[in-house]
Amino acid sequence: MVTRLDVQAAERRTRGFVRRTPTFHAAETLSFKLEFLQYTGTFKARGAFNRQLAARERGELDAAIGIVVASGGNAGIANAYAARELGVPATVYLPETAPAVKVALLHSLGATVVQTGSEYVEAFEAATAFATERGALFCHAYDQPEIAAGAGVLAEEMLADDPAIETIVVAVGGGGLLAGVLAAVDARAHVVAVEPERAPTLHAALAAGAPVDVEVGGIAADSLGARRVGQIGFAMAHAASSGLSSVLVSDSDIVAARTALWRDYRIPSEYGAAAAAAALASGAYRPRSGERIAVIVCGANTDPGTLAGG
């Protein structure tokens, strides 16, 4: 479990290493957290810095060996960036299906990139073996307390910007961002967890009463493609009970929402991040009249040439 105290500690630790991104008020009852303006283009930089800085404080980060992470792309980019800023090596394991734009960015950050297998789970197994054999600091893409707490700082910022926010809408992959948001919110707002129909890890876990493997596919699989929700994300969601709604959106809903974000607000979004907005546009979540909603646009590592046409 992660607490609001953990999130507040992460905010102090990472101050000066991450950006305080703006909350954009699009309408009287609708806001967007523009987290795609974060370093590396996604919220992942927050958890990466919190994990590495905390490990350095404890003497667990070997400056010669550095860190290792398995990722569909964004967590690897964030941890490689944090490692570069802290002056330590980074090794990133990716599926062979990772988008070329993300692989290129990793190389530009100086990371050692290893692509293996077709899914995240295969990259994860290789990365954990590397950590054991070499003594590198393992940075999980989503299922570590410091990773989740770092991500949760963005929700602290949102509620500081607008304490009247009643509902926060967040896309879910492995559950790290969701866990951090739930911890930071601490029952001060309702949280809507949004997943693609073709990667329903949290939805399936809540139905089963425990994390379970699901088949993963679809347009947002590169960022929301964890086969199983993390233990921390599940525990936080399960504990939230009435303070959480879990909804699913289709690939076509995601494409339409992504196009609308660009068309209506000039907000760039990768498909995974657009899933959150899709919950409102598709009616998967129907707010009551006057409900103040804030949608987290959590990343924009995407091909800009596809924004207008889906």
Side-chain angles (χ1 to χ4, degrees), residues 8-288:
Q8 291 169 333
E11 191 281 328
R12 293 189 296 270
R13 181 178 293 118
T14 60
R15 194 178 298 159
F17 290 94
V18 299
R19 291 178 176 141
R20 191 187 195 287
T21 57
T23 302
F24 164 58
H25 296 280
E28 184 177 353
T29 60
L30 177 64
S31 299
F32 294 100
K33 177 63 167 172
L34 305 185
E35 189 61 13
F36 64 88
L37 296 174
Q38 188 54 257
Y39 292 119
T40 75
T42 76
F43 75 96
K44 295 282 190 178
R46 296 180 183 270
F49 271 110
N50 193 46
R51 168 67 174 154
Q52 294 183 37
L53 287 166
R56 189 171 72 173
E57 290 170 7
R58 296 190 297 265
E60 298 173 359
L61 180 59
D62 188 315
I65 299 172
I67 67 100
V68 63
V69 59
S71 169
N74 287 334
I77 292 165
N79 277 281
Y81 175 80
R84 188 189 70 176
E85 294 301 295
L86 299 182
V88 300
T91 302
V92 182
Y93 283 82
L94 296 174
E96 293 172 354
T97 53
V101 64
K102 297 182 180 182
V103 175
L105 183 51
L106 281 167
H107 283 296
S108 75
L109 290 169
T112 298
V113 180
V114 183
Q115 291 186 258
T116 181
S118 60
E119 292 186 21
Y120 167 77
V121 66
E122 295 167 279
F124 177 84
E125 291 169 354
T128 53
F130 181 91
T132 300
E133 294 165 6
R134 305 289 184 88
L137 178 75
F138 183 70
C139 298
H140 201 287
Y142 53 85
D143 202 22
Q144 284 175 325
E146 289 154 354
I147 296 291
V153 176
L154 66 82
E156 284 282 350
E157 294 175 359
M158 294 170 71
L159 290 174
D161 287 343
D162 185 359
I165 290 171
E166 297 173 88
T167 299
I168 295 175
V169 187
V170 56
V172 178
L177 176 57
L178 174 66
V181 168
L182 287 169
V185 164
D186 196 21
R188 293 180 291 163
H190 187 74
V191 176
V192 179
V194 188
E195 297 177 285
E197 291 175 348
R198 297 183 63 188
T201 56
L202 175 66
H203 209 74
L206 291 173
V212 293
D213 285 349
V214 300
E215 293 294 325
V216 170
I219 201 165
D222 66 308
S223 57
L224 303 182
R227 185 184 292 177
R228 172 186 290 234
V229 72
Q231 291 287 347
I232 297 171
F234 173 75
M236 296 293 294
H238 188 264
S241 58
S242 61
L244 177 76
S245 298
S246 172
V247 303
L248 301 177
V249 293
S250 69
D251 276 6
S252 60
D253 293 335
I254 292 170
V255 171
R258 179 174 178 265
T259 300
L261 283 170
W262 179 249
R263 182 191 64 227
D264 298 341
Y265 306 109
R266 282 301 185 258
I267 292 176
S269 170
E270 58 188 82
Y271 291 111
L280 298 179
S282 69
Y285 179 76
R286 298 183 182 275
R288 67 183 185 280

